[in-house]
Amino acid sequence: MKSEWKKCKLSSQINLIGGGTPKTSVPEYWNGEIPWLSVKDFNDDNRYVYKTEKYITQTGLEHSSTTLLQKDDIIISARGTVGEMAMIPFPMAFNQSCYGIRGNENNDQTFIYYLIKNSVRKLKAITHGSVFDTITRETFDNIEVSLPPLPVQKKIAGVLKSLDDKIELNNKINNNLEKQAETIFKEWFIDNPQNTEWTSGTFSGLIESTLNGDWGKDEPIGSNTEKVYCIRGADIPEVNIGNKGKMPLRYILPKNLANKKLETGDIVIEISGGSPTQSTGRCAAITQSLLDRYDSSMVCTNFCKAIKPKTGYSLFVYYYWKYLYEKGTFFSYENGTTGIKNLDFNGFIETEPIIIPPLDRIIVFYNYSKSIFDQVFANGRQSEQLAILRDNLLPKLMSGEIDVSDIQI
């Protein structure tokens, strides 16, 4: 019953845990086996955070203020882009730009995760900082929430968790499908003993044309009248697992749309960016399934470039490019060692040697991998619909508008 719910300060129901950074000047603190999270390692798109770029040692943990979060603890970004959050699937440390959150013993931890997720907009509204937005411990004192009894918490969490579980399962299925296609590509074209009889060449021989990127304007101004969605390097990982990404809406010149519009079979390449541990050269295949997810045309940013492979070669080029990226080949084709790195795109496509099999083998692979792409994007679309349902249910469940008393979990 709603009458059993109580109003309270969010801070009274949680324990905040601080993070920290081991000294970067001490080598024995780093490159260990303990995952160490920063804000860029997680976001609201996934309930759990599994990957991190950096790892610390037990010594690094002991000689710093960072804390080891445990399974199902919550991590939330507290500086800069505040309010990004996820749960922890296994022990992880984290830096000082985040808070760890653990509900007190009278609450269901998964419910606390969704309670905070529902409160993020309020948290963002009262952040402050002279340089960038900041969530402080006092911020949580200013958030009032309605808290149901523990059995109701578990039911509400169960409803929302069932939707996120299906989204997570779809992500795992898509990751496995993509790995299958990559394995088949390697077996058929890289490790195949017959490849010694095939033609040697470069990517330039398989590319019909290239398209430059465009960033345009954030609203229609002057001749910038054509509404487009702009795929960035940050969208590439999401697109590759069947999601639509969060491409910004921009306005470009009509002539630029005619020359830069992305079509099925194109491949978008990130040519600027990267990091010391991540090279430029990430790629995403443009499929009809992706284009259908948006209500306007699509271009890539000017930090990317698109290629149009010759007819029939699109997915062969895509998987070959990904194979070389995973090998670290692109580090050898970058200009600049500090700041933003740039890919020597022309140097790569004109000089990197590749093996080109007969077209009939490539067509067989295309048909196989296209079926995988279709399944990946079907799963991605379902996940998108589930996420919309979850986000619509979240405030109604957290306010008690929807009664869960008859639900069996």
Side-chain angles (χ1 to χ4, degrees):
M1 296 176 59
K2 185 65 188 295
S3 60
E4 297 176 335
W5 292 45
K6 64 177 183 180
K7 289 189 177 296
C8 55
K9 297 293 186 182
L10 177 58
S11 58
S12 69
Q13 304 302 314
I14 60 175
N15 298 292
L16 288 177
I17 306 166
T21 303
K23 288 184 178 180
T24 57
S25 59
V26 183
E28 56 264 35
Y29 291 173
W30 295 91
N31 300 320
E33 297 182 352
I34 300 173
W36 183 80
L37 294 167
S38 64
V39 174
K40 62 183 177 181
D41 292 317
F42 61 92
N43 56 55
D44 287 331
D45 293 333
N46 301 295
R47 185 168 87 249
Y48 280 104
V49 52
Y50 289 100
K51 294 181 179 180
T52 177
E53 286 190 6
K54 295 183 178 180
Y55 292 78
I56 62 173
T57 62
Q58 183 64 34
T59 303
L61 178 67
E62 294 169 355
H63 287 80
S64 72
S65 59
T66 189
T67 306
L68 200 61
L69 296 178
Q70 303 301 316
K71 185 180 185 301
D72 290 336
D73 282 347
I74 300 160
I75 187 166
I76 186 168
S77 58
R79 299 175 70 183
T81 306
V82 300
E84 298 287 309
M85 57 184 295
M87 296 186 80
I88 303 297
F90 42 75
M92 294 183 178
F94 63 107
N95 76 3
Q96 64 273 19
S97 295
C98 312
Y99 281 119
I101 299 176
R102 188 177 297 151
N104 62 33
E105 60 185 11
N106 298 319
N107 293 313
D108 179 80
Q109 180 70 1
T110 304
F111 174 83
I112 292 296
Y113 165 77
Y114 289 114
L115 180 69
I116 296 173
K117 192 176 182 72
N118 189 54
S119 303
V120 161
R121 184 176 298 177
K122 294 179 182 178
L123 284 170
K124 290 181 177 180
I126 57 176
T127 57
H128 58 85
S130 58
V131 179
F132 41 70
D133 290 339
T134 304
I135 293 177
T136 66
R137 290 178 179 271
E138 289 72 26
T139 306
F140 294 90
D141 291 330
N142 295 317
I143 300 296
E144 187 175 71
V145 295
S146 294
L147 200 71
L150 184 59
V152 178
Q153 290 185 28
K154 291 182 179 293
K155 287 187 176 183
I156 291 174
V159 171
L160 296 167
K161 180 177 178 294
S162 65
L163 297 172
D164 272 331
D165 283 346
K166 177 55 179 171
I167 293 171
E168 188 171 347
L169 177 60
N170 282 346
N171 289 341
K172 290 180 179 178
I173 290 172
N174 283 354
N175 184 63
N176 287 335
L177 288 170
E178 185 67 5
K179 293 299 182 186
Q180 287 179 31
E182 291 173 1
T183 298
I184 292 296
F185 170 82
K186 191 170 182 291
E187 289 179 355
W188 286 12
F189 302 119
I190 304 299
D191 298 332
N192 190 333
Q194 294 181 344
N195 64 16
T196 57
E197 304 171 6
W198 297 342
T199 303
S200 296
T202 62
F203 281 109
S204 61
L206 304 181
I207 296 173
E208 195 72 52
S209 61
T210 62
L211 306 176
N212 291 324
D214 198 333
W215 189 233
K217 306 293 183 180
D218 59 5
E219 58 185 36
I221 298 176
S223 298
N224 290 75
T225 57
E226 297 297 324
K227 183 175 77 170
V228 296
Y229 288 94
C230 204
I231 182 170
R232 307 157 299 174
D235 297 305
I236 287 176
E238 287 297 305
V239 169
N240 285 343
I241 59 171
N243 297 332
K244 64 183 292 187
K246 297 179 180 179
M247 301 179 200
L249 187 63
R250 307 293 294 179
Y251 293 86
I252 65 174
L253 299 173
K255 66 176 183 179
N256 286 357
L257 176 62
N259 295 329
K260 301 177 179 182
K261 178 181 176 180
L262 296 175
E263 299 176 334
T264 300
D266 293 347
I267 301 171
V268 172
I269 312 295
E270 184 181 36
I271 59 172
S272 294
S275 72
T277 58
Q278 176 186 295
S279 73
T280 53
R282 290 188 296 180
C283 66
I286 302 301
T287 63
Q288 191 59 48
S289 298
L290 175 63
L291 296 174
D292 288 344
R293 300 275 281 279
Y294 286 91
D295 59 5
S296 293
S297 299
M298 188 181 298
V299 299
C300 63
T301 73
N302 43 19
F303 285 96
C304 296
K305 184 185 288 286
I307 60 177
K308 288 184 175 292
K310 292 181 177 179
T311 302
Y313 286 91
S314 177
L315 293 180
F316 172 78
V317 169
Y318 169 72
Y319 281 105
Y320 212 142
W321 200 286
K322 283 194 71 177
Y323 165 73
L324 293 174
Y325 180 84
E326 295 298 328
K327 281 185 62 179
T329 302
F330 288 89
F331 283 109
S332 301
Y333 290 92
E334 290 182 327
N335 299 319
T337 57
T338 60
I340 295 179
K341 299 185 295 182
N342 296 309
L343 174 66
D344 179 10
F345 176 82
N346 289 332
F348 175 77
I349 66 171
E350 292 171 3
T351 63
E352 179 65 25
I354 63 173
I355 300 171
I356 305 174
L359 181 58
D360 59 342
R361 289 176 179 260
I362 290 176
I363 295 299
V364 172
F365 177 75
Y366 173 86
N367 292 332
Y368 166 79
S369 52
K370 183 179 181 302
S371 67
I372 284 184
F373 264 79
D374 290 343
Q375 184 60 55
V376 164
F377 275 92
N379 291 340
R381 181 179 288 275
Q382 183 187 61
S383 293
E384 180 186 342
Q385 295 167 342
L386 291 170
I388 292 172
L389 175 60
R390 177 202 63 204
D391 293 343
N392 286 335
L393 284 175
L394 181 61
K396 296 179 180 180
L397 289 168
M398 289 299 166
S399 67
E401 180 181 340
I402 296 178
D403 184 8
V404 297
S405 58
D406 294 330
I407 296 178
Q408 300 297 318
I409 299 295

